Amino acid sequence: MDFLRWLFDAQIAIGDNQSLLVREVLGNIFGLLSALGGMRRKVWAWPVGILGNLLLLTVFLGTLFGSTYGTANLLGQAGRQIMFIAVSLWGWYRWNQTRKTGDVGQAAVIPQWASWRERAFMVAFMLVGTGVLTPIFRALGSYEPVWSDAWIFTGSLLATYGMAKGWVEFWLVWVAVDVVGVPLLWSAGYYASAFMYLFYGAFTLTGFFVWWRTRNREMGKVEVETAFPDPTVDVR
């Protein structure tokens, strides 16, 4: 209990009048580690990400927990932590099952390009989801501009789903989320998260090119194995 009390109240002083919640910093560090694990296609990326989501949920609903830190409740940011946990449980299961088949060695998934139909679905999902959620979040009292909060929530859901499916494009969805998330979080007073979003933007671009190269390499192996099957295997 003493540790939980410390974790909830601990702050890092910045300057004379500013401070960061330790929970916010730790939550974003766990998120970064999860992204690193995702780039390497490791199953442990999912449970590590869930720990970060739980911490950030308490940050973005700070006033509900009796905290005076921050300037606003961000319902989209808080809601997406719950969404992350739900989708991450599914992604954790899916990657773990894929790894058990032994088809991709130690990696949990082979990156693949989404089809044009799937790409059209992603664009439509972002636009429709943002349009539907904006008035809902506004009615619930989310921070303005509310469309930004809705955009972040929708994009986060889509990117997490895309990661579980193994789509290379899911990294670009994260970039779109980060571009909107940095100014929103900074204006709302969540400086640690805003800084991490800025860092994530560069990181996710790197992840995109890493998965792109990995996809080309894995597909090249498949083509070689198809053209030159193992002579020790009896195919009769």
Side-chain angles (χ1 to χ4, degrees), residues 8-9 11 19 21 23 62-72 190:
F8 191 84
D9 296 331
Q11 299 184 25
S19 62
L21 277 178
R23 284 177 290 135
T63 59
L64 297 183
F65 288 90
S67 174
T68 59
Y69 172 81
T71 59
Y190 293 104

Side-chain angles (χ1 to χ4, degrees), residues 119-135 147 150-155 158 173 176:
R119 291 172 180 174
F121 160 76
M122 287 190 282
V123 173
F125 186 87
M126 286 293 294
L127 297 177
V128 174
T130 301
V132 170
L133 290 177
T134 296
W147 73 265
W151 174 270
I152 293 170
F153 181 93
T154 304
L158 180 60
V173 178

Side-chain angles (χ1 to χ4, degrees), residues 117-215:
R117 177 176 296 181
E118 290 166 337
R119 291 172 180 174
F121 160 76
M122 287 190 282
V123 173
F125 186 87
M126 286 293 294
L127 297 177
V128 174
T130 301
V132 170
L133 290 177
T134 296
I136 296 175
F137 286 172
R138 179 172 289 116
L140 293 173
S142 191
Y143 187 73
E144 293 286 353
V146 180
W147 73 265
S148 298
D149 208 12
W151 174 270
I152 293 170
F153 181 93
T154 304
S156 298
L157 173 59
L158 180 60
T160 306
Y161 175 78
M163 176 178 169
K165 294 285 288 184
W167 292 339
V168 177
E169 291 89 344
F170 93 88
W171 292 104
L172 297 181
V173 178
W174 276 129
V175 173
V177 168
D178 296 334
V179 167
V180 174
V182 171
L184 175 67
L185 290 167
W186 188 268
S187 66
Y190 293 104
Y191 304 116
S193 293
F195 175 78
M196 290 304 298
Y197 267 48
L198 185 63
F199 182 79
Y200 284 153
F203 186 86
T204 52
L205 275 177
T206 302
F208 170 73
F209 288 110
V210 168
W211 271 42
W212 187 351
R213 289 195 299 268
T214 300
R215 185 265 177 195

